[in-house]
Amino acid sequence: MFQFFANIFGYLLSFMYGIINNYGLAIILFTVIMKIIFIPFSVKQQKTLKKSAKLQEKMKIIQFKYKNNPEKMNQEVMELYKTEKMSPFSGCLTAIIQIILLFSIFYLVRSPLTYMQKIPTENINQYVSQLQESGRAVSTAYPEIDIIREYEFLKEQNPDDKYIDRANLEMNFLGLDLSKVPQQHLTDITVYIIPVLYILSSFVSIRLSTSMQEKTQKEAKDGVILEETTGKELVPEEKNEMDAIMQTNKMMSWFMPLMSLSVAIIAPLGLALYWLTNNILMILERLILNKVIKSEEE
Amino acid sequence: MKKIILKFINFYQKHISYWLEEKGVRCKYYPTCSEYAKQAIEKYGIFKGGLLAIKRILRCNPFSKGGYDPLK
């Protein structure tokens, strides 16, 4: 399944590469086009995000209010879901599809010769064994990256092979070698540039979305509390308890960036470049969409 | 085995689900699919419970309405 999507993405990426002849630029262009295709989904998702933040707060208040009365709680929750309609694009199946796409991109940058350049597997295996016989290092995880690096040598070995020319990919992007895997070049400072930028952009993105969410959550919370407590004040203890419940899932968002960083270090830099571009585009998209949705609401 | 799966679901709820939510992907149902899966596996075991959980995730698609859907 990953291979299937990686193959499709490969066509798109190789089309881009055909136009600009640079792997890094092709990846950036590829990311931009993917984002443009998914803009209708993003608009919906941004709206869902706002709605679900509100829903979440109301839910917590219900859970708090009826914590001793599960039956009543379920009823209230059911009512809440009836009044708030969820976006047609969200859902757990969508989440699984997104994860599949994520892995497909990893497959694509790990094996650019198979998926992007469509070199048959037998040829790739042949190149690998030629490299091994000549005593050159071939990594088991990324043999295709080594083939790209040793293109000159392989061209000499297989002058009549029509596929070998496809392995001549321009991996240099602004002085960075995108075929490098940070883990294998730990002493080379330049390999850290893209992963570090990626992490920085992740932090900006997380801050942005939490601050947006906090805003909507605060609005929702204040609204509901006002509505619920007219006539009777919340006891300070209860208020504290409620705040504690609200705080719980704020801290957890650091796991995925950490995870992504470790993947970025063991994968070719092309993957990190894709993520970095994706993050930057996402931040821009968020800022723009937020403005647009806000002005729509007013 | 059952414990490992439940641990994994817990881990997902704690770390991954939050990240997905940030990307705008979120469960349409209450209880959420992961919560449902946890309850189902606890009550019916890995096979029947797992099957129920898979069915539920398939129901949680872009064309469904979502809503309140507790484990029976």
Side-chain angles (χ1 to χ4, degrees):
Chain A
M1 187 158 44
F2 299 140
Q3 275 106 325
F4 172 75
F5 284 107
N7 242 324
I8 294 176
F9 292 152
Y11 279 113
L12 185 60
L13 188 60
S14 92
F15 176 70
M16 304 292 152
Y17 185 82
I19 299 172
I20 38 189
N21 251 308
N22 182 295
Y23 187 64
L25 282 176
I27 283 186
I28 291 176
L29 215 66
F30 170 80
T31 321
V32 172
I33 286 179
M34 291 285 282
K35 261 265 124 70
I36 291 173
I37 294 174
F38 282 103
I39 274 184
F41 295 90
S42 310
V43 174
K44 278 277 172 200
Q45 283 186 342
Q46 186 97 353
K47 285 182 179 165
T48 315
L49 213 63
K50 285 207 147 174
K51 218 177 191 170
S52 71
K54 276 183 200 162
L55 193 75
Q56 203 85 13
E57 285 315 295
K58 284 186 188 162
M59 184 84 95
K60 278 182 199 151
I61 288 162
I62 289 173
Q63 280 169 345
F64 175 77
K65 250 176 84 177
Y66 302 109
K67 62 183 172 199
N68 300 320
N69 187 353
E71 215 165 287
K72 176 93 177 128
M73 188 177 94
N74 286 344
Q75 236 173 16
E76 291 282 317
V77 168
M78 205 151 67
E79 276 305 306
L80 181 64
Y81 264 89
K82 255 186 205 156
T83 44
E84 306 266 340
K85 287 199 178 63
M86 292 299 288
S87 146
F89 287 107
S90 68
C92 297
L93 204 61
T94 321
I96 291 173
I97 292 169
Q98 287 225 339
I99 291 170
I100 292 172
L101 294 185
L102 204 80
F103 275 101
S104 312
I105 302 277
F106 177 67
Y107 269 61
L108 177 62
V109 296
R110 194 188 66 163
S111 313
L113 298 182
T114 306
Y115 296 116
M116 177 182 156
Q117 299 301 83
K118 317 281 183 207
I119 298 180
T121 321
E122 308 93 70
N123 290 52
I124 289 172
N125 289 340
Q126 184 199 329
Y127 305 148
V128 169
S129 55
Q130 281 174 348
L131 287 178
Q132 278 165 345
E133 275 162 29
S134 70
R136 277 157 228 258
V138 181
S139 77
T140 40
Y142 310 104
E144 302 195 3
I145 301 287
D146 294 309
I147 294 174
I148 295 170
R149 201 187 48 233
E150 302 286 355
Y151 164 72
E152 307 274 322
F153 167 77
L154 286 168
K155 176 78 188 158
E156 269 172 40
Q157 296 268 309
N158 313 282
D160 301 323
D161 188 342
K162 64 180 164 119
Y163 286 113
I164 187 67
D165 286 327
R166 295 199 196 168
N168 187 15
L169 286 173
E170 179 53 61
M171 287 295 207
N172 187 2
F173 176 67
L174 301 175
L176 300 171
D177 183 355
L178 292 179
S179 68
K180 275 188 181 158
V181 178
Q183 193 195 15
Q184 295 169 351
H185 300 269
L186 288 172
T187 48
D188 183 353
I189 302 230
T190 57
V191 300
Y192 297 111
I193 296 175
I194 294 177
V196 165
L197 285 176
Y198 165 68
I199 282 302
L200 287 178
S201 71
S202 290
F203 283 157
V204 173
S205 157
I206 288 169
R207 271 263 36 106
L208 194 72
S209 74
T210 33
S211 76
M212 276 180 189
Q213 249 170 336
E214 269 165 18
K215 235 173 154 185
T216 23
Q217 280 179 349
K218 205 173 167 326
E219 280 163 19
K221 188 174 146 189
D222 289 351
V224 176
I225 288 179
L226 213 71
E227 183 184 302
E228 299 286 329
T229 53
T230 33
K232 62 173 174 94
E233 283 289 313
L234 271 180
V235 192
E237 276 163 35
E238 281 184 68
K239 206 165 183 312
N240 282 343
E241 200 180 328
M242 192 136 98
D243 280 335
I245 296 173
M246 308 249 166
Q247 286 298 327
T248 42
N249 62 3
K250 290 263 162 67
M251 298 303 291
M252 291 308 169
S253 54
W254 307 105
F255 168 75
M256 278 316 275
L258 213 76
M259 180 83 185
S260 318
L261 179 69
S262 31
V263 174
I265 283 174
I266 57 166
L269 280 179
L271 185 67
L273 180 66
Y274 168 76
W275 284 349
L276 171 64
T277 323
N278 203 18
N279 256 350
I280 293 172
L281 290 174
M282 200 165 77
I283 292 168
L284 290 177
E285 187 186 72
R286 280 254 167 92
L287 288 173
I288 295 167
L289 282 182
N290 205 37
K291 279 242 159 75
V292 174
I293 291 173
K294 229 180 215 157
S295 62
E296 254 176 32
E297 277 175 355
E298 275 158 12
Chain B
M1 190 61 197
K2 192 168 159 183
K3 267 189 181 160
I4 294 170
I5 292 178
L6 291 176
K7 272 230 163 85
F8 176 77
I9 297 176
N10 271 333
F11 181 82
Y12 164 83
Q13 291 184 325
K14 239 181 179 167
H15 298 283
I16 301 171
S17 122
Y18 188 84
W19 174 78
L20 282 168
E21 209 174 291
E22 219 159 67
K23 303 239 177 292
V25 179
R26 121 170 261 286
C27 187
K28 294 178 154 180
Y29 284 99
Y30 179 86
T32 58
C33 292
S34 54
E35 191 58 44
Y36 184 92
K38 225 160 75 177
Q39 292 172 6
I41 290 168
E42 252 162 21
K43 193 169 169 189
Y44 295 111
I46 309 171
F47 295 104
K48 196 174 174 217
L51 199 71
L52 283 169
I54 290 168
K55 272 187 176 162
R56 168 63 175 285
I57 292 170
L58 290 176
R59 248 180 289 148
C60 192
N61 62 43
F63 303 102
S64 74
K65 272 214 169 83
Y68 182 67
D69 174 33
L71 183 72
K72 289 199 181 77

